[in-house]
Amino acid sequence: MVVIAAGTMVLDGQVRRPGWLETDGGRIAACGAGAPPRPAGTDFPDGTVVPGFIDMHVHGGGGASYTDRGGITGAAEFHLRHGTTTTLASLVTASPAELLAGVRALAEAARHGTVAGIHLEGPWLSRARCGAHDPAQLRDPDPAEIDAVLDAGGGAIRMVTLAPELPGADDAIRRFLGAGVVVAVGHTDATYEQTEHAIALGATVGTHLCNAMPPLHHREPGPVLALLRHPGVTVELIADGVHVHPAVVRAVTGAAGPERVAVVTDAIAAAGQGDGAFRLGAVAVDVVSGVARVAGTSTIAGSTATMDRLFRAVHADAGLAVAAQTTSATPAHALGLERVGSLRAGYEANLVVLDRDLRVSAVMVRGDWRVGG
């Protein structure tokens, strides 16, 4: 058993100064405010300990991509160094054969614990709102393809993003929900009513709210308002200052509450790599001044963000408790993940130690120090 103490800890959603926790066998055995009941094995008097970050929408990082079998471990390790202890690896639109190959590779990685599961972002998306997805590979949901993808995933597919206005979308939503997959609305040109219908069928997530969907209009409110006003829907936000204005992050968090806002990176291989030419699936991407765009266009193509950077951005605006909620507890709840996303007794000992500048100094995964410590 190991006792960890820190000047600040976020325990069960509450900020404690100081705080402590005790790990045993990869889980948190006990935790509390004040001084620990016995001498700490590791003490961070000037540090802040928060739950390990959960990124439910990320395509790669550190020069590696989750669409490339050989890059899966490298991408996961890159984001681990930035505090992400639970990763939902995202695949982009691809041909049927490439999609199945990508699912199989990530399903194997999930079995080994490298990632927590798979997020299918496409190919069942709107051509009008395709963003950085290859429009030539977009298609309507097909029952046979969905069944083949689910079979290839072997239970590792945890979330799918689709456009609910497409022919066959209703059946697709039912099929995915029947397989225990979270359905997200995104890359969509749906009306308010079509989005409401998808939510009524069981969709519970809005993929990167405001991006790749019609903007809110007073006569045609579209998907943004439908997703925001429903209490059972979690909305993703890419809080990097590029995808949405910081004032929009504040407004959405204020309207929905931090319990319904999941901060995500939507990072691509370019994260941590500086400017240059990259790829997102079949699409060429240029990164200039840290902003990724489809080559030769103004279309944003994922991000170069990391979860610790987004944590700092939310913290600067809304404080420590909200930053921890939106980067850990909310995504865990949205995905139905158990015993992660919070520092409390019985939960996995996944935590991030931040220094005075809220930069990562140590990361623990299931009781083992993977970075620093």
Side-chain angles (χ1 to χ4, degrees):
M1 301 181 79
V2 176
V3 175
I4 300 168
T8 303
M9 274 195 185
V10 180
L11 300 175
D12 200 9
Q14 302 296 312
V15 179
R16 305 300 188 188
R17 295 187 173 96
W20 62 273
L21 60 80
E22 186 174 46
T23 69
D24 184 20
R27 293 190 180 272
I28 298 170
C31 58
R38 59 189 181 87
T42 308
D43 193 1
F44 303 97
D46 298 320
T48 297
V49 174
V50 298
F53 304 138
I54 299 175
D55 195 351
M56 60 189 282
H57 188 158
V58 53
H59 298 280
S65 172
Y66 290 122
T67 61
D68 176 9
R69 178 185 288 271
I72 295 171
T73 299
E77 289 180 347
F78 167 79
H79 284 289
L80 175 65
R81 293 194 294 273
H82 289 273
T84 299
T85 57
T86 302
T87 295
L88 199 62
S90 302
L91 290 175
V92 292
T93 295
S95 70
E98 290 172 326
L99 180 63
L100 287 174
V103 168
R104 292 190 183 103
L106 283 175
E108 181 181 355
R111 286 191 292 272
H112 288 95
T114 306
V115 299
I118 303 167
H119 164 217
L120 298 177
E121 190 182 23
W124 310 293
L125 309 175
S126 165
R127 287 175 176 81
R129 303 286 176 177
C130 65
H133 290 255
D134 182 0
Q137 296 293 347
L138 295 176
R139 47 196 181 270
D140 296 338
D142 174 72
E145 181 177 31
I146 290 171
D147 290 346
V149 167
L150 289 170
D151 183 64
I157 299 173
R158 288 193 171 270
M159 186 168 74
V160 59
T161 295
L162 54 77
E165 72 274 17
L166 296 178
D170 285 11
D171 180 65
I173 291 172
R174 295 187 185 99
R175 282 177 182 269
F176 281 118
L177 292 175
V181 177
V182 173
V183 174
V185 172
H187 283 276
T188 176
D189 209 30
T191 64
Y192 176 87
E193 290 76 17
Q194 288 169 324
T195 308
E196 284 268 287
H197 178 67
I199 295 170
L201 287 176
T204 54
V205 171
T207 294
H208 44 50
L209 190 75
C210 301
N211 299 120
M213 60 182 64
L216 180 64
H217 187 277
H218 59 286
R219 285 190 294 273
E220 297 177 4
V224 173
L225 186 61
L227 293 165
L228 270 179
R229 69 178 296 273
H230 198 286
V233 171
T234 298
V235 293
E236 295 179 352
L237 284 178
I238 309 172
D240 62 352
V242 174
H243 283 76
V244 289
H245 192 283
V248 173
V249 176
R250 287 193 294 271
V252 169
T253 305
E259 297 80 11
R260 289 182 50 213
V261 173
V263 171
V264 301
T265 63
D266 197 13
I268 64 172
Q273 293 297 103
D275 291 355
F278 298 87
R279 300 196 74 82
L280 179 57
V283 177
V285 174
D286 289 333
V287 177
V288 178
S289 300
V291 179
R293 300 185 188 276
V294 175
T297 78
S298 62
T299 301
I300 298 175
S303 88
T304 60
T306 53
M307 287 297 286
D308 57 333
R309 171 183 155 193
L310 301 185
F311 180 95
R312 290 191 293 272
V314 176
H315 173 272
D317 198 62
L320 189 57
V322 171
Q325 174 74 39
T326 56
T327 57
S328 300
T330 298
H333 175 75
L335 297 173
L337 298 176
E338 298 181 350
R339 300 192 179 278
V340 294
S342 182
L343 300 181
R344 67 172 76 174
Y347 275 48
E348 290 186 5
N350 298 340
L351 58 87
V352 180
V353 182
L354 304 170
D355 64 17
R356 289 182 175 181
D357 297 320
L358 297 182
R359 298 187 180 277
V360 175
S361 61
V363 181
M364 174 177 279
V365 180
R366 291 185 288 278
D368 291 329
W369 291 111
R370 297 287 298 279
V371 177

